[in-house]
């Protein structure tokens, strides 16, 4: 059963995985089949467990009935032996005076009437002297009667009848030299001799073979089930493997079973689980025990298990076929509708949208047909919107070159020429020309990180001369990222902010660092300064639209850079800002790792 449950678990897991990627027909078929199989599996397991429990109950009932019948037969036999003892005592011994009367005739008559179940009847005084015995009355030499267990039991508890365990009785000289296994029934009796009463013991030796025959009938099916008999102390009276037990070749759990209450229970003996049923025999205190190994019970239901498995398997096969037919009928309209959508997806802007099937699918088809027309109109509106967005973006790019910055740069160049610092003037003009050339970039928005860094270097070279080197700037970028794509003019605004908001008032102690590196499939460019820093509230407001943070420098702010990056590369990318008052600021540019090529430029320029 454990294997069956595991198979169902794997089947449902497989079905759940397949449903994610298959067609709707397969999804419906697999889902319905999985649910049906689960239901059939649960039903099959429930019925099997119910049947197995019923079989176990029937086995218990069968064992109890067998014990009851065997107990009745044994009790009947023992009751007859008790009647013989009672008849001998109350009708013979009590009416005889040993001084004048002889009881052998009556004793012999009683023996002949029951000799099939008897071996002998004998009467002894409390001193162990033989009064009378049949069928043999000659004792062996010195039999030590007072030392016999049946004698001491009778004398010790005079009010009870005492049944012994099986033993060989050899009290008398037998001309046939045969000695029989007997079970002795002894009791204390009152003997009369010369008018006075004395204590004696009446012994009835029952033929053990009669008891053995009764119990052999309960062990004739040649199965692993068997029945045995023991006394109240756990000593075996009968066992089908009694000879093996006496020779220490077989063991029985009788000493534990003698402590069990009447009824059935499970036990574990020598690593084997067994069903044990116990019943007490009246008059004697003997206990009859039935043993059924659980392995035998499992073998009995193996055929039922196979039948249940075949039945469930056949039912599942029929369910799978039925589910295929039903799912095909449900999925056909959806497949037709999907074909229409694929045609539309392939580029046909006026597809023949399928309308049919069930009410829900038909409504879906009509809705899609209406949506096609609406989408065509929306596409026209999007084209217009994209053109407007591109124009706005170009305006923003042009506003990056602050006229105030250009005026101050040209004024510095004039001042250098007047001061005959021609080399410095030439250097600034060269840097400014390179700055404008990269800014224009033939009208492209996407450039390489190497060009963007070159533009930033040109800008910082100009600013360092303008600010008379009151701050230092360093560039540390990994070589592998210089050939990657970026939106142009995104580092210069960050450097401008680092100057104006960070190091402008630090009297020569300002430090700015541009650092670039790759991390997995992303590129990061950081602009660090050791300037005044910002509060957490200011940092949180910088990248929000319509923020009220006071601006100077480019006049466009960080939100422009952040928005243009997200516009080209997606919402995952953009700017990240870290800052603490008096500890400086880090503005981190997050870009995808994409090699610069004509194809990549055309792709991102078209977005």
């Amino acid at each position: 059963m454990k294997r069956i449950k595991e198979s169902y678990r794997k089947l449902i897991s497989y079905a759940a995985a397949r449903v994610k990627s298959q067609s709707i027909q397969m999804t419906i078929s697999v889902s319905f089949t999985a649910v049906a199989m689960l239901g059939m599996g649960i039903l099959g397991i429930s019925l099997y467990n119910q049947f197995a429990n019923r079989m176990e109950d029937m086995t218990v009932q069968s064992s109890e009935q067998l014990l009851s019948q065997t107990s009745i037969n044994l009790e009947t036999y023992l009751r007859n032996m008790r009647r013989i003892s009672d008849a001998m005592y109350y009708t013979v011994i009590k009416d005889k005076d040993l001084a004048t009367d002889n009881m052998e005739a009556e004793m012999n008559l009683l023996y002949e009437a029951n000799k099939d179940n008897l071996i002998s009847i004998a009467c002894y005084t409390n001193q162990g002297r033989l009064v009378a015995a049949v069928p043999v009355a000659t004792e062996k030499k010195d039999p030590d009667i007072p030392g016999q267990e049946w004698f001491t039991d009778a004398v010790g508890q005079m009010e009870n009848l005492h049944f012994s365990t099986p033993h060989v009785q050899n009290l008398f000289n037998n001309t046939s030299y045969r000695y029989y296994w007997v079970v002795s029934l002894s009791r204390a009796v009152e003997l009369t001799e010369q008018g006075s009463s004395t204590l004696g013991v009446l012994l009835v030796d029952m033929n053990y073979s009669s008891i053995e025959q009764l119990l052999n009938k309960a062990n004739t099916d040649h199965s692993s089930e068997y029945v045995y008999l023991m006394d109240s102390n756990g000593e075996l009276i009968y066992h089908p493997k009694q000879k093996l037990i006496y020779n220490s070749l077989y063991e029985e759990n009788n000493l534990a079973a003698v402590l069990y209450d009447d009824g059935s229970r499970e036990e574990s003996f020598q690593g084997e689980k067994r069903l044990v049923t116990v019943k007490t025999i009246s008059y004697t205190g003997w206990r009859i025990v039935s043993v059924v190994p659980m392995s035998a019970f499992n073998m009995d239901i193996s055929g039922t298990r196979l039948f249940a498995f075949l039945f469930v398997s056949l039912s599942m096969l029929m369910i799978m076929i039925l589910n295929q037919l039903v799912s095909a009928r449900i999925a056909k309209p959806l497949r037709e509708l999907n074909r229409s959508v694929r045609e539309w997806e392939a580029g046909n802007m006026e597809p023949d949208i399928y309308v049919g099937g069930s009410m829900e699918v038909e409504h879906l088809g009509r809705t899609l047909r209406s949506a096609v027309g609406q989408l065509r109109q929306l596409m026209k509106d999007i084209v217009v919107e994209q053109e407007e967005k591109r124009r706005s973006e170009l305006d923003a790019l042009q506003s990056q070159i602050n006229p105030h910055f250009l005026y101050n740069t040209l004024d510095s160049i004039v001042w250098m020429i007047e001061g005959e610092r021609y080399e410095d003037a030439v250097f600034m003009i060269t840097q400014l020309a390179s700055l404008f050339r990269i800014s224009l970039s033939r009208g492209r928005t996407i450039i390489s990180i190497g060009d963007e860094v070159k533009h930033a270097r040109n800008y910082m070279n100009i600013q360092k001369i303008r600010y008379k080197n009151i701050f230092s700037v360093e560039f540390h970028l990994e070589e592998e990222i210089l050939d990657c794509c970026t939106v142009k003019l995104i580092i210069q605004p960050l450097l401008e902010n680092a100057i104006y908001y960070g190091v402008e008032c630090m009297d020569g102690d300002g430090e700015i660092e541009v650092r670039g590196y790759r991390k997995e499939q992303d590129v990061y460019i950081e602009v660090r300064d050791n300037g005044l820093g910002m509060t957490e509230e200011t940092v949180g407001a910088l990248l929000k639209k319509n923020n009220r943070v006071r601006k100077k420098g480019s006049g466009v702010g960080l939100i422009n850079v952040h928005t243009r990056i997200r516009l080209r590369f997606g919402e995952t990318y953009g700017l990240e800002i870290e800052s603490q008052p008096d500890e400086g600021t880090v503005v981190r540019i997050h870009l995808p790792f994409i090699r610069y090529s004509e194809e990549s430029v055309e792709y991102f320029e078209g977005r």
Side-chain angles (χ1 to χ4, degrees), residues 497-533:
N497 284 343
I499 295 171
Y500 291 152
Y501 295 106
V503 300
E504 185 178 27
C505 301
M506 295 187 64
D507 298 329
D509 295 327
E511 296 178 359
I512 299 175
E513 179 187 8
V514 179
R515 179 170 170 262
Y517 55 91
R518 175 185 177 182
K519 186 175 182 181
E520 296 179 354
Q521 296 303 313
D522 292 326
V523 172
Y524 294 92
I525 301 173
E526 297 178 352
V527 177
R528 296 173 175 266
D529 67 70
N530 63 341
L532 301 177

Side-chain angles (χ1 to χ4, degrees), residues 44-138:
I45 292 172
S46 300
L47 291 177
Y48 173 82
N49 289 335
Q50 193 173 26
F51 180 78
N53 293 334
R54 181 60 180 166
M55 285 288 293
E56 185 174 352
D57 293 340
M58 290 176 64
T59 302
V60 172
Q61 293 176 5
S62 176
S63 298
E64 292 178 348
Q65 289 175 359
L66 176 63
L67 285 188
S68 296
Q69 185 60 48
T70 305
S71 174
I72 291 172
N73 295 338
L74 190 57
E75 287 178 353
T76 301
Y77 174 77
L78 295 175
R79 194 178 298 114
N80 289 335
M81 296 301 101
R82 181 174 179 176
R83 288 197 187 102
I84 293 171
S85 178
D86 288 343
M88 185 65 197
Y89 180 36
Y90 293 110
T91 62
V92 178
I93 294 176
K94 278 187 172 292
D95 294 340
K96 300 293 183 179
D97 189 319
L98 300 182
T100 58
D101 299 327
N102 189 308
M103 63 181 72
E104 289 183 356
E106 291 86 348
M107 187 179 290
N108 190 60
L109 182 63
L110 190 60
Y111 171 77
E112 289 295 330
N114 299 276
K115 65 181 180 179
D116 291 340
N117 297 321
L118 293 179
I119 296 299
S120 65
I121 303 176
C123 182
Y124 292 88
T125 65
N126 61 349
Q127 301 299 321
R129 179 175 60 85
L130 180 64
V131 176
V134 292
V136 179
T138 305

Side-chain angles (χ1 to χ4, degrees), residues 340 342-352 372:
S340 301
R342 286 184 179 276
E343 182 182 349
W344 181 29
E345 184 181 21
N348 183 4
M349 301 309 297
E350 295 183 2
D352 182 17
V372 169

Side-chain angles (χ1 to χ4, degrees), residues 412-431:
S412 297
I413 293 171
V414 172
W415 170 75
M416 290 177 184
I417 293 172
E418 290 176 350
E420 298 182 354
R421 295 173 56 187
Y422 303 119
E423 292 183 2
D424 291 339
V426 171
F427 176 76
M428 286 195 70
I429 292 171
T430 303
Q431 297 296 311

Side-chain angles (χ1 to χ4, degrees), residues 279-336:
K279 185 171 179 61
T280 302
I281 306 297
S282 58
Y283 305 119
T284 64
W286 292 355
R287 312 196 80 188
I288 186 169
V289 182
S290 170
V291 178
V292 181
M294 298 304 292
S295 58
F297 170 74
N298 292 333
M299 290 178 62
D300 291 340
I301 63 174
S302 60
T304 304
R305 185 187 296 115
L306 178 60
F307 173 77
F309 178 76
L310 292 177
F311 174 76
V312 171
S313 299
L314 182 60
S315 300
M316 288 181 179
L317 180 61
M318 296 177 63
I319 289 173
M320 290 175 64
I321 296 173
L322 181 62
N323 283 340
Q324 285 288 343
L325 297 175
V326 173
S327 61
R329 184 176 181 85
I330 294 174
K332 183 179 179 181
L334 294 173
R335 283 201 306 269
E336 292 295 326

Side-chain angles (χ1 to χ4, degrees), residues 121-361:
I121 303 176
C123 182
Y124 292 88
T125 65
N126 61 349
Q127 301 299 321
R129 179 175 60 85
L130 180 64
V131 176
V134 292
V136 179
T138 305
E139 280 187 307
K140 287 190 173 184
K141 184 179 179 180
D142 193 17
D144 188 22
I145 298 301
Q148 298 284 336
E149 184 178 357
W150 54 265
F151 188 92
T152 56
D153 288 344
V155 173
Q157 296 180 343
M158 294 183 292
E159 68 276 7
N160 294 335
L161 295 172
H162 303 279
F163 292 86
S164 72
T165 56
H167 62 280
V168 176
Q169 189 63 283
N170 57 355
L171 299 177
F172 305 101
N173 289 319
N174 192 333
T175 57
S176 65
Y177 299 102
R178 293 182 59 189
Y179 299 100
Y180 299 91
W181 281 84
V182 300
V183 175
S184 298
L185 170 59
S186 60
R187 68 191 299 173
V189 296
E190 185 179 353
L191 301 176
T192 303
E193 188 173 5
Q194 295 181 355
S196 61
S197 297
T198 60
L199 183 65
V201 175
L202 174 62
L203 173 65
V204 178
D205 282 338
M206 300 175 289
N207 192 346
Y208 174 71
S209 63
S210 299
I211 297 176
E212 190 175 29
Q213 289 173 5
L214 287 175
L215 293 171
N216 281 339
K217 293 179 180 179
N219 293 297
T220 57
D221 57 356
H222 304 291
S223 68
S224 55
E225 306 175 24
Y226 61 90
V227 173
Y228 68 91
L229 180 67
M230 61 183 174
D231 65 11
S232 58
N233 295 320
E235 292 293 329
L236 290 176
I237 299 173
Y238 165 85
H239 197 285
K241 299 181 180 180
Q242 196 152 341
K243 292 182 179 179
L244 297 176
I245 294 175
Y246 286 160
N247 292 319
S248 300
L249 299 177
Y250 187 82
E251 294 183 10
E252 186 54 72
N253 200 28
N254 51 299
L255 296 180
V258 74
L259 303 176
Y260 296 163
D261 295 330
D262 284 7
S264 298
R265 62 179 294 168
E266 289 187 12
E267 70 170 11
S268 180
F269 179 63
Q270 294 182 340
E272 180 184 33
K273 290 186 177 181
R274 315 191 305 179
L275 178 65
V276 177
T277 306
V278 180
K279 185 171 179 61
T280 302
I281 306 297
S282 58
Y283 305 119
T284 64
W286 292 355
R287 312 196 80 188
I288 186 169
V289 182
S290 170
V291 178
V292 181
M294 298 304 292
S295 58
F297 170 74
N298 292 333
M299 290 178 62
D300 291 340
I301 63 174
S302 60
T304 304
R305 185 187 296 115
L306 178 60
F307 173 77
F309 178 76
L310 292 177
F311 174 76
V312 171
S313 299
L314 182 60
S315 300
M316 288 181 179
L317 180 61
M318 296 177 63
I319 289 173
M320 290 175 64
I321 296 173
L322 181 62
N323 283 340
Q324 285 288 343
L325 297 175
V326 173
S327 61
R329 184 176 181 85
I330 294 174
K332 183 179 179 181
L334 294 173
R335 283 201 306 269
E336 292 295 326
L337 185 58
N338 182 62
R339 180 190 56 76
S340 301
V341 174
R342 286 184 179 276
E343 182 182 349
W344 181 29
E345 184 181 21
N348 183 4
M349 301 309 297
E350 295 183 2
D352 182 17
I353 300 297
Y354 173 81
V355 177
S358 63
M359 179 180 65
E360 294 83 357
V361 178

